[in-house]
Amino acid sequence: MIPMDNRLNYYALTVALEKSCLPEQAFDMLENVRLGERFRLNNEVDITVLQGMRQRGLTLKEIGEYYGYSQTRIFKVLERAGRG
């Protein structure tokens, strides 16, 4: 298992690549999630990001931790979009 500080860096890199933003902006987005703000997982961009994270090898649990949702919720969002 990857240590949490390294996972945070990995998540930030993934966000920066997927959202085409600076690393500092990606860390800000992650900090918002850690403070309890949730991303809405119902638009095409977010679903594309989820799919990209899965293709990079992240587990549903890791993605759920990143977004502040359970792995079941992530699975259902991807399944509903036909991409699980």
Side-chain angles (χ1 to χ4, degrees):
M1 178 151 209
I2 302 170
M4 189 55 180
D5 56 337
N6 289 339
R7 287 183 14 205
L8 182 62
N9 292 334
Y10 183 74
Y11 293 159
L13 176 61
T14 301
V15 170
L17 292 171
E18 294 293 335
K19 299 279 186 178
S20 298
C21 65
L22 297 173
E24 292 81 9
Q25 293 169 314
F27 277 106
D28 287 342
M29 288 180 202
L30 288 172
E31 187 61 30
N32 288 339
V33 170
R34 290 170 57 199
L35 293 174
E37 295 178 20
R38 288 187 173 187
F39 288 105
R40 300 190 74 198
L41 297 174
N42 59 1
N43 69 48
E44 188 64 27
V45 173
D46 288 336
I47 292 169
T48 301
V49 170
L50 292 178
Q51 185 181 26
M53 293 172 87
R54 286 291 285 157
Q55 289 174 345
R56 285 184 178 78
L58 272 75
T59 66
L60 294 172
K61 183 177 179 181
E62 290 171 328
I63 296 169
E65 288 173 358
Y66 164 75
Y67 276 105
Y69 287 99
S70 69
Q71 64 187 38
T72 302
R73 172 74 171 127
I74 300 301
F75 174 78
K76 287 180 180 179
V77 168
L78 288 171
E79 183 179 50
R80 193 172 320 134
R83 301 177 185 179

